[in-house]
């Protein structure tokens, strides 16, 4: 696997070797060693600034946990060993997730919700790297993993003393998840541990004993473009080695004890009463075409000694799920514990064979089975759409959610678990409709640490929180909902010009709240808000990028030729005066979205009350270099009269882009000869298409995109049909098909280890070859070791340098010539 990574990195080094040429006159160009470039100031300075802490509220609502975050990792950290196995990326040195998937914490602090001083947790090693912090159900401690050179250790930190201590050695196996969970009584933790006496990893460098063979017997088995799959017997051996763990109970005080035999545990959850463990154990034969969560698996319940007491399901390999997004595998799925009961098993089964193309009155059925699991299961509720989750409340209240992607419809059904079999619809709506979103029921941890519905003091109402989207902006709110009458009462709404969200409700009347509050000029900070009194500021996090404080921002609205309402956020550099400075070079950065309703597609929400500062590879950093930016201009692709949205993708995309260009030109902030378009992922796909099918833009920047839709033949983004069902649409949408039509310069950037479905690095590699072969002006940059989003400080800085240099060359020709 290591050799595979090095092989992938080599092309990137060759490409980066040519990088300095951008900044030198043609006569001075010369071969140079491959090096990362630094972006101009103040971009580099902002990238190196310390990020503000994150915060979480304890289950007992008495304490805030402040978590200090590490800044961008170095490329050396990303270069640490990494294995790609069955859809996971792991670090074999610590048996946890690869560094590309971890944002390390560097310290912890506790602070009371009444505004007392924060107390730094003591006892941690110098230069500690922490992850997976989890509150104890009683709110008296947190547990977390600490990284060491040889593995992940389990630690706890006590709230009262603010002191940390180690519970285990470097033995936690976090390859498939967090690696641990609290016992309901907070007396200890259930840990997935590396089996005692595990030998060295198998040697997979030896010559193979034979070919890798795949064969099908005529059974249809469509699969999407998954990444990081097993590919040979060596991968299988490594998967077994690193994903096999031993369930172990680790008490806060006392000796650890093992439960049952080691296995490849993908999930392990203790029942709310602490008597049973619901487990999912993957088993052979493994597959080379789907990730581990679709491998054959045993779903079983054991007691706390590891003895099996009930078999929930013997799941086969699930490599034949139909391609529509509303399709699911047949058989039991979504097995879970009912959060508000002692030990009640809940699961879902499709009643249409899992195929949405089959006619069925009932799509999904939700079952319940209480301990000791000997009775026949009871039907909690039948659903006309696909199950999408449940909020548990008490014996007579639960809310089951269902959705149907094809229509963008959702239903929320109130059910009575004590009298199952029917329900009452609470919400029936288009889930893309932001203006009419009633919000979601508030859930908070109960005494056992399980998320349950938060009721008012008299138990007749529940709390509801929502984004409060309006044309003028988002103004979050807190309501109560009477479950009998369906009537709501507004308790609180974010003030005009502010964006304030509820973190936690401190009392049963909903009068005392912990909130995050921000405004256009103030960064997000925690507050204690008493609706009958005043406000206490709990934190004083600073502006992480004061250099951008004076940037101007406004929502602009305009219409497409077919009447669809569009909008975008226009950013202008600090100190810019249109009358004095005239039009600016402008970058339009966008990401298309599919809709079934033109009215919903045209909804406009202002961001004037939000605190906006760029981080990482954000295009907004270009504001510091004299560029105007039209951020997230609407690019809706609307399916009308039953037609699929993508059947008119190019026409609608081009019309939206033309409307956006016309709008910024009419405002006088941009001229038509100095506008660029850019995007990441599906936005890169959009960028390539706009350069191929329009002459609206001078140049484009496309990062980590997919350009050849024959490489994603069983669906992509919101396209549900396969290539063979919609061949014409696939070909028409693919910019690879029209590489000979791209007559504007394009910058392609891609992570060399892209892990996103469909955006394999070969997408940019082959698109570059197609463009080059057709005489296009194109630059192709591969960032070694980077996934779909770029994380290393060197990669992030270099990406910013590439974008600035490219736009300077094509939108500021005089500036580029003077370099």
């Amino acid at each position: 696997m290591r050799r595979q990574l090095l092989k992938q990195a080599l092309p990137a080094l060759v490409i980066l070797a040519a990088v300095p040429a951008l900044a030198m006159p043609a006569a001075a160009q010369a071969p140079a060693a491959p090096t990362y470039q630094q972006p101009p100031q103040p971009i580099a300075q902002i990238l190196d600034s310390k990020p503000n802490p994150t915060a979480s509220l304890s289950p007992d609502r008495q304490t805030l946990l402040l978590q200090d975050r590490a800044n961008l990792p170095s490329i050396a950290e990303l270069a640490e060993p990494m294995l790609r196995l069955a859809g996971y990326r792991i670090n074999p040195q610590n048996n946890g997730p690869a560094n590309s998937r971890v944002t390390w914490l560097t310290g912890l602090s506790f602070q009371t919700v009444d505004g007392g001083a924060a107390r730094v947790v003591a006892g941690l090693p110098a230069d500690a790297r922490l992850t997976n912090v989890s509150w104890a159900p009683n709110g008296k401690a947190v547990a977390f993993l600490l990284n060491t050179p040889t593995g992940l250790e389990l630690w706890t930190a006590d709230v009262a003393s603010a002191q940390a201590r180690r519970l285990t050695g470097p033995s936690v196996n976090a390859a498939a998840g967090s690696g641990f969970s609290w016992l309901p009584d907070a007396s200890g933790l259930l840990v997935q541990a590396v089996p005692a006496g595990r030998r060295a990893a198998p040697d997979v460098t030896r010559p193979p004993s034979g070919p890798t063979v795949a064969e099908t017997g005529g059974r249809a088995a469509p699969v999407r473009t998954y990444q990081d799959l097993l590919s040979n017997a060596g991968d299988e051996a490594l998967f077994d080695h690193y994903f096999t763990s031993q369930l172990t109970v680790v008490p806060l005080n006392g000796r650890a004890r093992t439960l049952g035999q080691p296995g490849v545990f993908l999930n392990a959850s203790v029942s709310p009463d602490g008597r049973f463990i619901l487990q999912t154990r993957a088993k052979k034969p493994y597959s080379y075409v789907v990730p581990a969560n679709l491998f054959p698996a045993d779903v079983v319940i054991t007691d706390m000694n590891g003895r099996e007491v009930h078999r929930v399901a013997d799941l086969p390999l699930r490599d034949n799920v139909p391609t529509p997004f509303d399709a699911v595998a047949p058989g039991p799925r979504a097995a879970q514990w009912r959060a508000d009961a002692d030990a009640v098993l809940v699961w879902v089964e499709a009643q249409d064979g899992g195929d949405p193309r089959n006619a069925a009155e009932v799509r999904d059925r939700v079952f319940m089975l209480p301990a000791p699991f000997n009775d026949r299961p009871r039907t909690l509720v039948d659903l006309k759409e696909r199950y999408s989750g449940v909020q548990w409340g008490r014996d007579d209240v639960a809310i089951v959610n269902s959705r149907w992607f094809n229509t963008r419809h959702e239903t929320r059904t109130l059910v009575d678990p004590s009298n199952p079999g029917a329900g009452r619809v609470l919400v029936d709506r288009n889930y893309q409709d932001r203006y009419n979103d009633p919000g979601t029921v508030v859930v908070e941890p109960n005494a056992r640490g399980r998320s349950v519905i938060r009721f008012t003091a008299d138990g007749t109402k529940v709390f509801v929180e929502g984004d409060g989207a309006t044309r003028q902006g988002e103004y979050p709110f807190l309501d109560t909902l009477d479950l009998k009458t369906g009537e709501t009462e507004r308790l609180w709404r974010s003030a005009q010009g502010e964006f304030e969200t509820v973190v936690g409700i401190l009392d049963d009347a909903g009068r005392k709240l912990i909130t995050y509050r921000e405004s256009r000029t103030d960064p997000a900070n925690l507050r204690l808000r008493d609706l009958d009194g005043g406000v206490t500021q709990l934190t004083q996090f600073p502006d992480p990028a004061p250099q951008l404080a004076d940037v101007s921002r406004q929502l602009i609205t305009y219409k497409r030729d077919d009447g669809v309402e569009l909008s975008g956020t226009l950013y202008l550099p600090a100190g810019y005066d249109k009358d004095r400075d005239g039009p600016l070079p402008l970058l339009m950065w966008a990401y298309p979205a599919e809709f079934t309703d033109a009215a919903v597609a045209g909804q406009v929400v202002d961001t004037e009350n939000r605190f906006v500062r760029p981080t990482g590879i954000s295009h907004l950093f270009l504001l510091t270099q004299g560029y105007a930016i039209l951020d997230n201009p609407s690019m809706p692709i609307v399916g009308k009269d039953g037609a699929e949205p993508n059947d008119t993708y190019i026409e609608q995309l081009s019309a939206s882009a033309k409307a956006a260009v016309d709008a910024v030109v009419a405002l006088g902030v941009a001229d038509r000869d100095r506008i660029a378009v850019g995007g990441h992922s599906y936005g890169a796909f959009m960028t390539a298409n706009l350069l191929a099918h329009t002459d609206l833009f001078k140049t484009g920047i496309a990062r980590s995109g997919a350009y050849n839709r024959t490489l994603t033949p069983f669906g992509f983004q919101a396209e549900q049909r396969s290539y063979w069902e919609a061949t014409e649409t696939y070909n028409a949408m693919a910019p690879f098909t029209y590489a000979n039509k791209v007559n504007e310069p394009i910058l392609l950037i891609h992570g060399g280890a892209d892990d996103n479905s469909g955006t394999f690095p070969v997408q940019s590699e082959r698109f570059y070859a197609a463009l080059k072969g057709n005489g296009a002006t194109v630059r192709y940059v591969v960032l070694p070791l980077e996934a779909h989003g770029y994380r290393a400080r060197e990669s992030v800085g270099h990406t910013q340098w590439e974008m600035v240099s490219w736009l300077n060359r094509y939108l500021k020709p005089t500036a580029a010539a003077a370099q």
Side-chain angles (χ1 to χ4, degrees):
M1 302 298 288
R2 178 63 177 159
R3 288 183 298 174
Q4 182 183 11
L5 287 177
L6 291 175
K7 183 179 178 182
Q8 290 178 341
L10 287 176
L13 298 178
V14 173
I15 293 165
L16 287 178
V19 160
L22 262 184
M24 303 189 323
Q29 292 181 12
T35 57
Y36 291 100
Q37 300 296 309
Q38 282 289 324
Q41 295 296 358
I43 300 176
Q45 181 183 8
I46 297 172
L47 291 178
D48 291 328
S49 62
K50 181 178 174 59
N52 286 334
T54 60
S56 69
L57 182 65
S58 63
D60 62 2
R61 304 188 288 275
Q62 299 298 310
T63 309
L64 291 168
L65 173 67
L66 306 181
Q67 305 169 72
D68 295 325
R69 297 178 291 156
N71 208 333
L72 298 170
S74 68
I75 195 66
E77 291 181 70
L78 263 63
E80 291 180 10
M82 179 181 72
L83 299 177
R84 310 180 191 190
L85 300 170
Y88 294 92
R89 291 189 173 186
I90 69 165
N91 183 343
Q93 292 182 332
N94 64 14
N95 223 118
N99 281 336
S100 62
R101 297 193 170 185
V102 180
T103 298
W104 294 106
L105 303 175
T106 58
L108 305 173
S109 301
F110 294 121
Q111 180 175 340
T112 59
V113 297
D114 60 6
R119 296 172 296 127
V120 176
V121 171
L124 293 172
D127 301 321
R129 294 202 299 177
L130 322 174
T131 189
N132 296 357
V133 181
S134 174
W135 276 105
N138 59 12
K140 298 184 181 301
V142 295
F144 54 91
L145 299 180
L146 185 141
N147 188 50
T148 77
T150 57
L152 295 168
E153 299 176 341
L154 178 64
W155 285 59
T156 61
D158 177 69
V159 171
S161 64
Q163 183 71 32
R165 66 186 179 99
R166 182 174 58 190
L167 291 184
T168 73
S171 59
V172 178
N173 187 338
S178 65
F180 69 90
S181 59
W182 281 95
L183 299 179
D185 63 359
S187 64
L189 302 104
L190 178 68
V191 178
Q192 290 179 232
V194 172
R198 185 177 74 174
R199 297 181 179 180
D203 182 3
V204 297
T205 63
R206 292 174 293 182
S209 59
T212 298
V213 177
E215 183 176 355
T216 178
R219 177 180 64 106
V223 293
R224 296 193 180 276
T225 47
Y226 297 112
Q227 299 266 35
D228 302 334
L229 302 178
L230 302 181
S231 60
N232 52 49
D235 284 353
E236 290 194 57
L238 290 170
F239 179 76
D240 271 332
H241 179 81
Y242 287 105
F243 284 78
T244 297
S245 58
Q246 172 68 65
L247 294 184
T248 305
V249 171
V250 178
L252 294 183
N253 298 290
R255 298 185 63 180
R257 62 183 182 89
T258 60
L259 309 176
Q261 298 300 311
V264 180
F265 294 98
L266 300 182
N267 290 292
S269 172
V270 180
S271 61
D273 63 0
R275 293 191 298 147
F276 304 100
I277 304 175
L278 175 62
Q279 307 169 18
T280 300
R281 299 193 293 246
K283 61 182 181 180
K284 293 183 176 180
Y286 298 147
S287 171
Y288 296 176
V289 297
V290 294
N293 66 306
L294 296 174
F295 284 1
D298 290 324
V299 183
V300 301
I301 295 174
T302 70
D303 62 20
M304 294 303 291
N305 292 313
R307 183 173 57 252
E308 184 175 318
V309 298
H310 180 67
R311 181 164 289 262
V312 181
D314 182 355
L315 299 175
L317 174 66
R318 285 145 290 160
D319 66 347
N320 60 340
V321 178
T323 54
F325 293 160
D326 292 312
V328 295
R333 71 182 199 277
Q336 61 184 276
W337 295 114
R338 182 175 150 186
D340 62 331
D342 285 342
V344 177
L345 176 67
V346 181
W347 73 95
V348 184
E349 292 188 31
Q351 303 301 297
D352 57 3
D355 191 339
R357 294 170 295 194
N358 295 333
E361 181 66 22
V362 175
R363 294 291 181 180
D364 273 351
R365 179 166 291 157
V366 184
F367 293 97
M368 292 193 309
L369 181 63
F373 318 111
N374 296 326
D375 297 331
R376 291 179 60 86
R378 301 185 68 184
T379 298
L380 174 63
V381 67
D382 283 338
L383 302 173
K384 296 182 179 181
E385 300 163 319
R386 287 286 178 243
Y387 168 86
S388 61
V390 58
Q391 289 88 43
W392 299 104
R394 60 191 184 208
D395 199 44
D396 64 334
V397 174
I399 298 174
V400 180
N401 308 305
S402 60
R403 285 192 169 195
W404 200 248
F405 176 85
N406 197 45
T407 58
R408 312 304 197 270
H409 184 268
E410 72 167 338
T411 305
R412 305 177 199 171
T413 305
L414 178 67
V415 298
D416 181 351
S418 67
N419 185 27
R424 176 164 57 88
V425 173
L426 289 176
V427 174
D428 181 14
R429 64 185 294 270
N430 181 327
Y431 60 74
Q432 290 183 312
D433 183 357
R434 299 177 66 189
Y435 287 175
N436 297 296
D437 187 349
T440 57
V441 172
V442 173
V443 294
E444 293 186 353
N446 63 8
R448 291 168 164 176
R450 305 305 173 99
S451 292
V452 296
I453 294 171
R454 184 74 187 276
F455 292 90
T456 56
D458 62 5
T460 64
K461 300 176 182 178
V462 297
F463 293 104
V464 175
E465 60 184 351
D467 294 332
T470 69
R471 188 178 183 88
Q472 292 72 37
E474 284 186 323
Y475 291 94
F477 62 83
L478 180 67
D479 288 352
T480 58
L481 168 66
D482 190 307
L483 293 175
K484 289 186 178 180
T485 67
E487 295 180 355
T488 61
E489 178 185 356
R490 180 63 42 90
L491 298 181
W492 169 83
R493 181 177 184 262
S494 184
Q496 190 71 25
E498 300 180 358
F499 182 84
E500 192 168 2
T501 58
V502 176
V503 175
I505 304 170
L506 301 185
D507 67 317
D508 290 337
R511 308 303 296 174
K512 293 184 178 180
L513 313 173
I514 298 294
T515 65
Y516 254 126
R517 182 262 183 191
E518 64 183 74
S519 70
R520 180 185 178 90
T521 58
D522 301 319
N525 270 285
L526 287 160
R527 287 177 156 190
L528 171 61
R529 175 176 285 281
D530 186 339
L531 301 185
D532 298 315
V535 174
T536 302
Q537 191 84 9
L538 299 179
T539 59
Q540 300 289 340
F541 302 146
D543 183 343
Q547 301 92 331
L548 293 164
D550 294 326
V551 164
S552 119
R553 179 172 91 240
Q554 70 175 103
L555 180 77
I556 65 170
T557 59
Y558 45 97
K559 284 187 178 182
R560 207 162 68 180
D561 287 344
D562 61 0
V564 175
E565 295 275 354
L566 303 176
S567 67
T569 303
L570 178 63
Y571 290 86
L572 299 171
Y576 170 72
D577 184 290
K578 183 175 65 175
D579 295 332
R580 180 191 66 209
D581 302 324
L584 292 171
L586 180 141
L587 172 65
M588 184 184 302
W589 196 268
Y591 193 96
E594 296 81 1
F595 296 87
T596 58
D597 185 332
V600 171
Q603 288 182 348
V604 175
V605 179
D606 200 349
T607 59
E608 182 70 17
N609 61 334
R610 302 299 304 272
F611 183 81
V612 178
R613 293 292 184 271
T615 59
I617 56 174
S618 172
H619 51 283
L620 294 179
F621 278 114
L622 286 158
L623 288 162
T624 67
Q625 307 304 306
Y627 290 92
I629 295 175
L630 183 60
D631 189 34
N632 198 28
S634 306
M635 297 287 175
I637 312 298
V638 184
K640 299 179 180 179
D641 302 322
E644 289 290 335
N646 283 338
D647 289 343
T648 53
Y649 174 87
I650 297 299
E651 296 88 339
Q652 294 193 63
L653 182 71
S654 301
S656 295
K658 178 181 180 299
V661 169
D662 289 345
V664 293
V665 171
L667 286 173
V669 298
D671 63 64
R672 295 184 187 277
D673 294 329
R674 291 196 297 165
I675 300 178
V677 64
H680 190 93
S681 193
Y682 206 51
F685 174 76
M686 170 209 72
T687 296
N689 266 313
L690 286 173
L691 295 185
H693 295 286
T694 76
D695 291 314
L696 295 168
F697 303 100
K698 184 75 171 179
T699 186
I701 299 173
R703 298 190 321 218
S704 297
Y707 310 102
N708 184 345
R709 284 305 169 197
T710 67
L711 299 179
T712 56
F714 289 105
F716 59 90
Q717 203 68 13
E719 178 55 63
Q720 304 184 74
R721 299 165 295 178
S722 74
Y723 176 80
W724 299 274
E725 293 171 316
T727 305
E728 185 177 339
T729 296
Y730 270 67
N731 289 335
M733 289 182 68
F736 183 87
T737 307
Y738 300 95
N740 62 329
K741 302 295 185 183
V742 177
N743 54 15
E744 297 89 6
I746 183 171
L747 170 63
L748 301 177
I749 304 177
H750 215 118
D754 195 324
D755 57 346
N756 184 57
S757 177
T759 55
F760 302 100
V762 71
Q763 288 273 7
S764 287
E765 177 187 334
R766 301 315 302 156
F767 190 44
Y768 169 74
L771 291 167
K772 180 175 179 289
N774 281 284
T777 300
V778 56
R779 179 177 175 83
Y780 174 34
V781 179
V782 181
L783 299 170
L785 307 175
E786 292 291 352
H788 192 58
Y790 321 143
R791 296 200 61 219
R793 172 62 179 83
E794 292 87 343
S795 303
V796 170
H798 188 87
T799 298
Q800 293 290 349
W801 181 86
E802 288 282 357
M803 294 195 300
V804 170
S805 301
W806 187 259
L807 293 185
N808 282 352
R809 177 192 283 192
Y810 291 105
L811 298 189
K812 293 181 179 180
T814 55
Q819 289 181 348

